[in-house]
Amino acid sequence: MYDRKPVDVILQNNTDGTIIPLRLRLEGEDGEKKQYRIMAYMDLSHQGARTFADGVYISNRDLAFRCKVLINDQIRIVNLYRKPSYESWFVTNI
């Protein structure tokens, strides 16, 4: 099981109903919020119910993205989730 962190997300909502994640804002260990640019993403939503390798179970109604994020001059892969029952987004693998 990986560490899950709540995250602020800047999104682009398109006229066709699709969502594109653009930026993440996380609170660092020092308590300061830092913003990270999403370099690339893959939409994993609406592909049926399943459990990801990080232990997060999603249904067909949940939003899930696998994102490449530039963190401290390194590209990292993170999973970004939003469940209708939650009020916020969260990430794993940071």
Side-chain angles (χ1 to χ4, degrees):
M1 180 86 65
Y2 292 89
D3 188 27
R4 297 180 195 178
K5 297 180 182 181
V7 64
D8 296 331
V9 182
I10 298 173
L11 303 164
Q12 176 178 316
N13 293 291
N14 297 319
T15 57
D16 64 359
T18 57
I19 295 173
I20 298 173
L22 301 174
R23 295 187 187 275
L24 304 176
R25 187 170 47 214
L26 289 164
E27 189 171 309
E29 293 177 6
D30 58 1
E32 183 178 319
K33 290 222 176 198
K34 297 178 183 173
Q35 186 167 291
Y36 302 100
R37 183 173 158 227
I38 296 174
M39 308 298 288
Y41 73 95
M42 182 177 8
D43 189 352
L44 304 173
S45 308
H46 314 298
Q47 297 176 5
R50 63 196 180 282
T51 302
F52 286 102
D54 57 12
V56 177
Y57 172 82
I58 67 164
S59 72
N60 233 8
R61 299 178 326 178
D62 302 332
L63 297 176
F65 297 92
R66 181 155 297 130
C67 303
K68 288 184 181 179
V69 182
L70 184 62
I71 299 175
N72 298 329
D73 296 324
Q74 291 184 331
I75 298 288
R76 298 220 183 148
I77 305 295
V78 301
N79 294 325
L80 176 64
Y81 301 101
R82 173 84 164 66
K83 294 176 168 283
S85 58
Y86 295 4
E87 293 185 9
S88 64
W89 289 84
F90 66 93
V91 294
T92 60
N93 297 347
I94 286 189

